[in-house]
Amino acid sequence: MQLNGFRLIKMRLAQLGALLLMCLLALPVYAERVIELASFAGVRDNQLVGYGLVVGLDNTGDQTTQAPFTSQSLSNMLSQLGVTIPPGTNMQLRNVAAVMVTADLPPFARPGQRVDIVVSSIANARSLRGGTLLMTPLKGADGDIYAIAQGNMLVGGAGAQAGGSSVQINQQAAGRIPGGALVEREVALNLGGNGGMLELQLNEVDFGTVQRMVTAINNEFGQSVAYARNGRVIALDGPVDANARVNFMARVENVQVTPTEAPARVVLNSRTGSVVMNSAVTLRQAAVAHGSLSITIDRNLGVSQPGPFSQGQTVVVPDTDIDIEQQEAYLQIVEGAQLTDVVNALNALGATPQDLMTILEALKASGSLRAELEVI
């Protein structure tokens, strides 16, 4: 009886383990909200740019002889304020700098709201620290003015120089003004004007993710409100009423979707030597031999001294040593069906990141590396 009881308990545990395994396999690998994968068409930032002057610098502004447009801009500004500069006046001002002002106008921004701006020098000013940006109109791509910028700058860098020596920490030719621009005009956005129809645009083209997103949205609302147009755009049949539309869009943004696995890709940064690969990368069996040839040329200068009373001349004689060293290389089998296997197989070659780029290109050419190579 006791033995049968142990067998029954063991059977129950096995069934429970199988059930847990099935549950784990049924669970999605990960899920993300729609707002992290896509955005509504038209709901975006707009870039603004303007040209202005920064004043109040401590003798670190533009050298007007090398940047004449700074003096011209200052003269135009003073003339608008009723100050006339005599013609031919050479203004040697070192506390003024010509700058470009950039900002991002967020969606639905209304007149009277403030946005952050970035101020960058365009001439030879050494530092903008302690400067004040004068009133600068910020224009959009259509040439209209959407904001006015002005305020005291915040520069993160610092520097000092004396006696021919100088020290500098971080960049001093650019700074920020939090809330430094006042919105004067809003960007017209007729959201849902076509009978409440909305468009959801994925961040990346993926037909599988589009299909899953359409299914998840329709399941959330219990009816067909989402329709796939292509591998990136989803049409949504939203409400006509503005308040109901906002609630509709909020529900859509919070729908949980499990995106399809990204295609196998290896990214190579030729400037830094970085190699990054995602989890979908696999490596079919291949034989790789890795070795490098090192050539060292050492040149030393010696002096040839003639013997006494030989009437010879002292000459400099170069002595050159050339050393060629080649590391041993053996064919090694590399293979991996998972990312950890691929990394271990490549690490076994003992290659540097630069050499690893060449090896990965050769593996791709041979058909062993099952991934897309992207060089940035």
Side-chain angles (χ1 to χ4, degrees):
M1 292 295 295
Q2 187 177 4
L3 183 60
N4 292 334
F6 284 146
R7 289 180 178 176
L8 182 60
I9 293 175
K10 185 177 181 180
M11 184 181 300
R12 294 296 184 185
L13 290 176
Q15 293 176 355
L16 182 59
L19 181 60
L20 290 175
L21 181 59
M22 293 177 60
C23 292
L24 291 175
L25 292 177
L27 289 176
V29 178
Y30 60 91
E32 300 181 38
R33 296 186 302 165
V34 170
I35 192 175
E36 300 169 352
L37 301 173
S39 60
F40 288 99
V43 183
R44 66 178 185 87
D45 293 346
N46 289 275
Q47 295 179 338
L48 304 179
V49 65
Y51 171 82
L53 293 174
V54 171
V55 299
L57 303 177
D58 187 14
N59 201 33
T60 59
D62 295 340
Q63 296 181 5
T64 53
T65 55
Q66 300 177 3
F69 52 85
T70 303
S71 300
Q72 181 183 358
S73 302
L74 184 60
S75 299
N76 295 337
M77 184 195 67
L78 293 177
S79 64
Q80 295 178 4
L81 297 177
V83 179
T84 303
I85 304 297
T89 302
N90 186 11
M91 296 184 296
Q92 295 293 333
L93 304 176
R94 292 302 307 274
N95 59 347
V96 182
V99 295
M100 295 299 296
V101 184
T102 57
D104 287 335
L105 185 65
F108 309 114
R110 304 300 296 271
Q113 294 181 343
R114 290 189 172 273
V115 295
D116 299 341
I117 60 175
V118 177
V119 183
S120 306
S121 173
I122 60 175
N124 51 12
R126 296 200 313 269
S127 175
L128 299 180
R129 191 177 184 87
T132 300
L133 175 68
L134 299 181
M135 184 182 297
T136 303
L138 301 182
K139 299 181 179 181
D142 54 359
D144 294 334
I145 298 176
Y146 287 89
I148 300 295
Q150 183 170 282
N152 299 322
M153 291 188 51
L154 178 63
V155 179
Q161 59 180 359
S165 300
S166 62
V167 61
Q168 178 175 325
I169 301 176
N170 297 333
Q171 175 66 273
Q172 300 183 79
R176 292 177 58 89
I177 303 180
L182 196 64
V183 178
E184 300 292 339
R185 177 185 297 183
E186 62 177 309
V187 178
L189 176 59
N190 190 14
L191 191 63
N194 187 17
M197 185 64 67
L198 301 170
E199 279 191 355
L200 197 62
Q201 300 176 347
L202 270 69
N203 300 331
E204 296 182 1
V205 177
D206 191 339
F207 287 94
T209 302
V210 166
Q211 185 270 333
R212 295 185 181 185
M213 191 174 295
V214 169
T215 303
I217 294 175
N218 291 335
N219 292 338
E220 170 70 19
F221 290 92
Q223 56 180 337
S224 296
V225 297
Y227 312 92
R229 288 187 174 176
N230 49 48
R232 192 165 206 158
V233 180
I234 298 175
L236 299 173
D237 189 7
V240 179
D241 180 68
N243 184 58
R245 188 186 308 120
V246 172
N247 297 332
F248 175 82
M249 296 172 66
R251 290 182 62 183
V252 170
E253 288 181 342
N254 287 280
V255 173
Q256 297 287 335
V257 179
T258 302
T260 58
E261 187 177 5
R265 182 174 300 170
V266 178
V267 180
L268 309 177
N269 192 324
S270 59
R271 295 180 295 274
T272 62
S274 303
V275 179
V276 180
M277 60 186 70
N278 60 14
S279 60
V281 176
T282 58
L283 190 62
R284 292 185 179 179
Q285 192 175 53
V288 179
H290 171 68
S292 59
L293 185 67
S294 175
I295 301 177
T296 303
I297 301 177
D298 187 15
R299 186 169 184 263
N300 299 318
L301 298 179
V303 178
S304 176
Q305 185 71 26
F309 307 107
S310 62
Q311 297 182 353
Q313 295 181 355
T314 302
V315 295
V316 178
V317 180
D319 186 12
T320 304
D321 295 331
I322 301 178
D323 184 20
I324 301 178
E325 180 181 356
Q326 185 173 7
Q327 297 180 358
E328 295 183 356
Y330 304 96
L331 280 173
Q332 298 188 28
I333 301 297
V334 294
E335 184 179 10
Q338 297 181 356
L339 180 60
T340 54
D341 300 332
V342 175
V343 173
N344 293 333
L346 295 177
N347 286 337
L349 298 175
T352 63
Q354 294 293 339
D355 295 335
L356 191 58
M357 293 183 181
T358 305
I359 295 174
L360 289 173
E361 290 178 353
L363 289 173
K364 176 64 176 179
S366 66
S368 176
L369 181 64
R370 312 304 297 176
E372 176 188 354
L373 285 180
E374 180 178 351
V375 181
I376 61 175

Coordinates of all heavy atoms in Angstrom, one line a residue, residues 221-283:
F221 N -11.7 45.7 -28.2 CA -13.0 46.4 -28.4 C -14.2 45.5 -28.7 O -15.3 45.9 -28.7 CB -12.9 47.5 -29.5 CG -12.0 48.6 -29.1 CD1 -10.6 48.6 -29.4 CD2 -12.5 49.7 -28.4 CE1 -9.8 49.7 -29.0 CE2 -11.7 50.8 -28.1 CZ -10.4 50.8 -28.4
G222 N -13.8 44.2 -28.9 CA -14.9 43.2 -29.2 C -15.6 43.4 -30.6 O -16.6 42.8 -30.8
Q223 N -14.9 44.1 -31.4 CA -15.5 44.3 -32.8 C -14.3 44.8 -33.7 O -13.2 45.1 -33.2 CB -16.6 45.4 -32.8 CG -16.2 46.7 -32.3 CD -17.3 47.7 -32.3 OE1 -18.2 47.6 -33.1 NE2 -17.2 48.8 -31.5
S224 N -14.6 44.8 -35.0 CA -13.5 45.1 -36.0 C -13.4 46.6 -36.1 O -14.2 47.3 -36.7 CB -13.9 44.5 -37.3 OG -13.8 43.1 -37.3
V225 N -12.4 47.2 -35.4 CA -12.2 48.6 -35.5 C -10.8 48.9 -36.1 O -10.5 50.0 -36.4 CB -12.2 49.3 -34.1 CG1 -13.6 49.2 -33.5 CG2 -11.2 48.7 -33.1
A226 N -10.0 47.9 -36.3 CA -8.6 48.0 -36.8 C -8.5 47.2 -38.1 O -9.0 46.1 -38.2 CB -7.6 47.6 -35.8
Y227 N -7.8 47.8 -39.1 CA -7.7 47.2 -40.4 C -6.2 47.5 -40.9 O -5.8 48.6 -40.8 CB -8.7 47.7 -41.4 CG -10.1 47.8 -40.9 CD1 -10.6 48.9 -40.3 CD2 -10.9 46.7 -41.1 CE1 -11.9 49.0 -39.8 CE2 -12.2 46.7 -40.6 CZ -12.7 47.9 -40.0 OH -14.0 47.9 -39.5
A228 N -5.5 46.4 -41.3 CA -4.2 46.6 -41.7 C -4.1 47.1 -43.2 O -4.9 46.5 -44.0 CB -3.4 45.2 -41.6
R229 N -3.4 48.1 -43.4 CA -3.2 48.7 -44.8 C -2.0 48.1 -45.4 O -2.0 47.9 -46.6 CB -3.2 50.2 -44.7 CG -4.6 50.8 -44.4 CD -4.6 52.3 -44.5 NE -5.9 52.8 -44.4 CZ -6.2 54.2 -44.4 NH1 -5.2 55.0 -44.5 NH2 -7.4 54.6 -44.2
N230 N -0.9 48.0 -44.7 CA 0.4 47.5 -45.2 C 1.2 47.0 -44.0 O 0.7 46.8 -42.9 CB 1.1 48.5 -46.1 CG 1.3 49.9 -45.4 OD1 1.6 49.9 -44.3 ND2 0.9 50.9 -46.2
G231 N 2.5 46.8 -44.2 CA 3.3 46.3 -43.2 C 3.7 47.4 -42.1 O 4.4 47.0 -41.2
R232 N 3.1 48.6 -42.2 CA 3.4 49.6 -41.2 C 2.2 50.4 -40.7 O 2.2 50.9 -39.6 CB 4.4 50.6 -41.9 CG 5.1 51.5 -40.9 CD 6.3 52.2 -41.4 NE 7.2 52.6 -40.4 CZ 8.5 52.8 -40.6 NH1 9.0 52.6 -41.8 NH2 9.3 53.1 -39.6
V233 N 1.2 50.5 -41.5 CA 0.1 51.4 -41.2 C -1.2 50.5 -40.9 O -1.5 49.6 -41.6 CB -0.2 52.3 -42.4 CG1 -1.4 53.2 -42.1 CG2 1.0 53.2 -42.7
I234 N -1.8 50.9 -39.8 CA -3.1 50.3 -39.4 C -4.2 51.4 -39.4 O -4.0 52.4 -38.7 CB -3.0 49.6 -38.0 CG1 -1.9 48.5 -38.1 CG2 -4.3 49.1 -37.6 CD1 -1.7 47.9 -36.8
A235 N -5.3 51.2 -40.0 CA -6.4 52.1 -40.0 C -7.3 51.8 -38.8 O -7.6 50.6 -38.6 CB -7.1 52.1 -41.3
L236 N -7.7 52.8 -38.1 CA -8.6 52.7 -37.0 C -9.9 53.4 -37.2 O -9.9 54.6 -37.6 CB -7.9 53.2 -35.7 CG -6.6 52.5 -35.3 CD1 -6.0 53.2 -34.1 CD2 -6.9 51.0 -34.9
D237 N -11.0 52.8 -37.0 CA -12.3 53.4 -37.1 C -12.7 54.0 -35.8 O -13.3 53.3 -34.9 CB -13.3 52.4 -37.6 CG -14.7 53.0 -38.0 OD1 -14.7 54.2 -38.0 OD2 -15.6 52.2 -38.2
G238 N -12.3 55.2 -35.5 CA -12.5 55.8 -34.2 C -13.8 56.6 -34.1 O -14.4 56.8 -35.1
P239 N -14.1 57.1 -32.9 CA -15.4 57.9 -32.8 C -15.2 59.3 -33.4 O -14.1 59.8 -33.6 CB -15.5 58.0 -31.3 CG -14.6 56.9 -30.7 CD -13.5 56.8 -31.7
V240 N -16.4 59.9 -33.7 CA -16.4 61.2 -34.3 C -16.2 62.2 -33.2 O -15.6 63.3 -33.4 CB -17.7 61.4 -35.1 CG1 -17.7 62.9 -35.7 CG2 -17.8 60.4 -36.2
D241 N -16.8 62.0 -32.0 CA -16.7 62.9 -30.9 C -15.3 63.0 -30.4 O -14.6 62.0 -30.2 CB -17.7 62.5 -29.8 CG -17.6 63.4 -28.6 OD1 -18.1 64.5 -28.7 OD2 -17.1 62.9 -27.5
A242 N -14.8 64.2 -30.1 CA -13.4 64.4 -29.7 C -13.1 63.7 -28.3 O -12.1 63.1 -28.2 CB -13.1 65.9 -29.6
N243 N -14.0 63.9 -27.4 CA -13.8 63.3 -26.1 C -13.8 61.7 -26.1 O -12.9 61.1 -25.6 CB -14.9 63.7 -25.1 CG -14.6 63.2 -23.7 OD1 -13.6 63.4 -23.1 ND2 -15.6 62.4 -23.1
A244 N -14.7 61.2 -26.9 CA -14.7 59.7 -27.1 C -13.5 59.3 -27.9 O -13.0 58.2 -27.6 CB -16.0 59.3 -27.8
R245 N -13.0 60.1 -28.8 CA -11.8 59.7 -29.5 C -10.6 59.7 -28.7 O -9.8 58.8 -28.8 CB -11.6 60.8 -30.7 CG -10.5 60.3 -31.6 CD -10.2 61.4 -32.6 NE -11.4 61.9 -33.3 CZ -11.8 63.1 -33.3 NH1 -11.2 64.1 -32.6 NH2 -12.9 63.5 -33.9
V246 N -10.5 60.6 -27.7 CA -9.3 60.5 -26.8 C -9.4 59.3 -25.9 O -8.4 58.6 -25.7 CB -9.3 61.8 -25.9 CG1 -8.3 61.7 -24.8 CG2 -9.1 63.0 -26.7
N247 N -10.5 58.9 -25.4 CA -10.7 57.6 -24.7 C -10.3 56.4 -25.6 O -9.7 55.5 -25.1 CB -12.1 57.5 -24.1 CG -12.4 58.6 -23.1 OD1 -11.5 59.1 -22.5 ND2 -13.7 59.0 -23.0
F248 N -10.8 56.5 -26.8 CA -10.5 55.4 -27.8 C -9.0 55.2 -28.0 O -8.4 54.1 -27.9 CB -11.2 55.7 -29.1 CG -10.9 54.7 -30.2 CD1 -11.6 53.5 -30.2 CD2 -10.0 55.0 -31.1 CE1 -11.3 52.6 -31.2 CE2 -9.7 54.1 -32.2 CZ -10.4 52.9 -32.2
M249 N -8.3 56.4 -28.2 CA -6.9 56.3 -28.5 C -6.1 55.9 -27.2 O -5.1 55.2 -27.3 CB -6.4 57.7 -28.9 CG -7.0 58.2 -30.2 SD -6.6 59.9 -30.6 CE -4.8 59.8 -30.9
A250 N -6.6 56.3 -26.0 CA -5.9 55.8 -24.8 C -6.0 54.3 -24.6 O -5.1 53.6 -24.2 CB -6.5 56.5 -23.6
R251 N -7.2 53.7 -25.0 CA -7.3 52.3 -24.9 C -6.4 51.6 -25.9 O -5.8 50.5 -25.6 CB -8.8 51.9 -25.1 CG -9.7 52.3 -24.0 CD -11.1 51.8 -24.2 NE -11.2 50.3 -24.3 CZ -12.3 49.7 -24.6 NH1 -13.4 50.3 -24.8 NH2 -12.3 48.3 -24.7
V252 N -6.3 52.1 -27.1 CA -5.5 51.5 -28.1 C -4.0 51.5 -27.7 O -3.3 50.6 -27.9 CB -5.7 52.3 -29.5 CG1 -4.7 51.8 -30.5 CG2 -7.1 52.0 -30.0
E253 N -3.6 52.7 -27.1 CA -2.2 52.8 -26.7 C -1.8 51.7 -25.7 O -0.6 51.3 -25.6 CB -1.9 54.2 -26.2 CG -1.8 55.2 -27.3 CD -1.5 56.6 -26.7 OE1 -1.7 56.8 -25.5 OE2 -1.1 57.5 -27.5
N254 N -2.7 51.3 -24.8 CA -2.4 50.4 -23.7 C -2.7 49.0 -24.0 O -2.6 48.1 -23.2 CB -3.2 50.8 -22.5 CG -2.7 52.1 -21.9 OD1 -1.7 52.1 -21.1 ND2 -3.3 53.2 -22.1
V255 N -3.1 48.6 -25.3 CA -3.3 47.2 -25.7 C -1.9 46.5 -25.7 O -0.9 47.0 -26.2 CB -3.9 47.2 -27.0 CG1 -4.0 45.7 -27.5 CG2 -5.4 47.7 -27.0
Q256 N -1.9 45.3 -25.1 CA -0.7 44.5 -25.0 C -0.5 43.7 -26.3 O -1.5 43.0 -26.7 CB -0.7 43.6 -23.8 CG -0.7 44.4 -22.4 CD 0.6 45.0 -22.1 OE1 1.7 44.6 -22.6 NE2 0.6 46.1 -21.3
V257 N 0.6 43.8 -26.9 CA 0.9 43.1 -28.1 C 2.3 42.4 -28.0 O 3.2 43.0 -27.5 CB 0.9 44.0 -29.4 CG1 1.2 43.2 -30.6 CG2 -0.4 44.7 -29.5
T258 N 2.4 41.2 -28.4 CA 3.6 40.4 -28.5 C 4.2 40.6 -29.9 O 3.7 39.9 -30.8 CB 3.5 39.0 -28.1 OG1 2.9 38.9 -26.8 CG2 4.8 38.3 -28.1
P259 N 5.2 41.4 -30.1 CA 5.8 41.5 -31.5 C 6.5 40.3 -31.9 O 7.0 39.5 -31.1 CB 6.7 42.7 -31.3 CG 7.1 42.7 -29.9 CD 6.0 42.2 -29.1
T260 N 6.6 40.1 -33.2 CA 7.3 39.0 -33.8 C 8.8 39.2 -33.5 O 9.3 40.3 -33.3 CB 7.1 38.9 -35.3 OG1 7.5 40.1 -35.9 CG2 5.6 38.6 -35.6
E261 N 9.5 38.1 -33.5 CA 11.0 38.2 -33.3 C 11.7 38.9 -34.4 O 11.4 38.7 -35.6 CB 11.6 36.8 -33.1 CG 13.0 36.8 -32.7 CD 13.5 35.4 -32.5 OE1 12.8 34.4 -32.7 OE2 14.7 35.2 -32.0
A262 N 12.6 39.8 -34.0 CA 13.4 40.6 -35.0 C 14.2 39.7 -35.8 O 14.7 38.6 -35.4 CB 14.2 41.6 -34.3
P263 N 14.5 40.0 -37.1 CA 15.3 39.2 -37.9 C 16.7 39.2 -37.4 O 17.2 40.1 -36.8 CB 15.2 39.9 -39.3 CG 14.8 41.3 -39.0 CD 14.0 41.2 -37.8
A264 N 17.4 38.1 -37.7 CA 18.8 37.9 -37.3 C 19.7 39.0 -37.9 O 19.7 39.2 -39.1 CB 19.3 36.5 -37.6
R265 N 20.4 39.7 -37.0 CA 21.2 40.8 -37.5 C 22.5 41.0 -36.7 O 22.4 40.9 -35.4 CB 20.4 42.1 -37.5 CG 21.1 43.4 -38.0 CD 20.2 44.5 -38.1 NE 19.0 44.2 -39.0 CZ 18.0 45.0 -39.1 NH1 17.9 46.1 -38.3 NH2 17.0 44.7 -39.9
V266 N 23.6 41.3 -37.3 CA 24.8 41.6 -36.7 C 25.2 43.0 -37.1 O 25.3 43.3 -38.3 CB 25.9 40.6 -37.1 CG1 27.2 41.0 -36.4 CG2 25.5 39.2 -36.7
V267 N 25.5 43.9 -36.1 CA 25.8 45.3 -36.4 C 27.3 45.5 -36.1 O 27.8 45.1 -35.0 CB 25.0 46.2 -35.5 CG1 25.3 47.7 -35.8 CG2 23.5 46.0 -35.8
L268 N 28.0 46.0 -37.1 CA 29.4 46.2 -37.0 C 29.7 47.7 -37.0 O 29.3 48.4 -37.9 CB 30.2 45.5 -38.1 CG 29.9 44.0 -38.3 CD1 30.7 43.5 -39.5 CD2 30.3 43.2 -37.1
N269 N 30.4 48.2 -36.0 CA 30.8 49.6 -36.0 C 32.2 49.7 -36.4 O 33.1 49.4 -35.6 CB 30.5 50.2 -34.6 CG 30.6 51.8 -34.6 OD1 31.5 52.3 -35.3 ND2 29.8 52.4 -33.8
S270 N 32.5 50.2 -37.6 CA 33.9 50.2 -38.1 C 34.7 51.2 -37.4 O 36.0 51.1 -37.5 CB 33.8 50.4 -39.6 OG 33.2 51.7 -39.9
R271 N 34.1 52.2 -36.8 CA 34.9 53.3 -36.1 C 35.4 52.9 -34.7 O 36.5 53.2 -34.3 CB 34.1 54.6 -36.1 CG 33.8 55.1 -37.4 CD 33.0 56.4 -37.3 NE 31.7 56.2 -36.7 CZ 30.6 55.8 -37.4 NH1 30.7 55.7 -38.7 NH2 29.4 55.6 -36.8
T272 N 34.5 52.2 -34.0 CA 34.9 51.8 -32.6 C 35.2 50.4 -32.5 O 35.7 50.0 -31.4 CB 33.7 52.1 -31.7 OG1 32.5 51.4 -32.1 CG2 33.3 53.6 -31.8
G273 N 35.0 49.6 -33.5 CA 35.3 48.1 -33.4 C 34.2 47.3 -32.6 O 34.5 46.2 -32.2
S274 N 33.1 47.9 -32.4 CA 32.0 47.2 -31.7 C 31.3 46.2 -32.6 O 31.0 46.5 -33.7 CB 31.0 48.2 -31.1 OG 31.7 49.2 -30.3
V275 N 30.9 45.1 -32.0 CA 30.2 44.0 -32.7 C 29.0 43.7 -31.8 O 29.2 43.3 -30.6 CB 31.1 42.8 -32.9 CG1 30.2 41.7 -33.6 CG2 32.3 43.1 -33.7
V276 N 27.8 43.9 -32.3 CA 26.6 43.6 -31.6 C 25.7 42.7 -32.4 O 25.5 42.9 -33.6 CB 25.8 44.9 -31.2 CG1 24.5 44.6 -30.5 CG2 26.7 45.8 -30.4
M277 N 25.1 41.6 -31.8 CA 24.2 40.7 -32.5 C 23.0 40.4 -31.6 O 23.1 40.4 -30.4 CB 25.0 39.4 -32.9 CG 25.6 38.7 -31.7 SD 26.6 37.3 -32.3 CE 28.0 38.1 -32.9
N278 N 21.9 40.2 -32.2 CA 20.7 39.8 -31.5 C 20.6 38.3 -31.2 O 21.4 37.6 -31.7 CB 19.4 40.4 -32.1 CG 19.2 39.9 -33.5 OD1 19.8 38.9 -33.9 ND2 18.4 40.5 -34.3
S279 N 19.5 38.0 -30.5 CA 19.4 36.6 -30.1 C 19.0 35.6 -31.2 O 19.1 34.4 -31.1 CB 18.3 36.5 -29.0 OG 17.1 36.9 -29.4
A280 N 18.6 36.2 -32.4 CA 18.2 35.3 -33.5 C 19.3 34.8 -34.3 O 19.1 34.0 -35.3 CB 17.1 36.0 -34.3
V281 N 20.5 35.3 -34.0 CA 21.7 35.0 -34.8 C 22.1 33.5 -34.6 O 22.2 33.1 -33.4 CB 22.9 35.9 -34.5 CG1 24.1 35.4 -35.3 CG2 22.6 37.3 -34.9
T282 N 22.3 32.7 -35.6 CA 22.7 31.3 -35.5 C 23.9 31.2 -36.4 O 24.2 32.0 -37.4 CB 21.6 30.4 -36.0 OG1 21.2 30.7 -37.3 CG2 20.4 30.5 -35.0
L283 N 24.7 30.1 -36.2 CA 25.9 29.9 -36.9 C 26.0 28.4 -37.3 O 26.0 27.5 -36.4 CB 27.1 30.2 -36.0 CG 28.5 30.2 -36.7 CD1 28.6 31.3 -37.7 CD2 29.6 30.5 -35.6

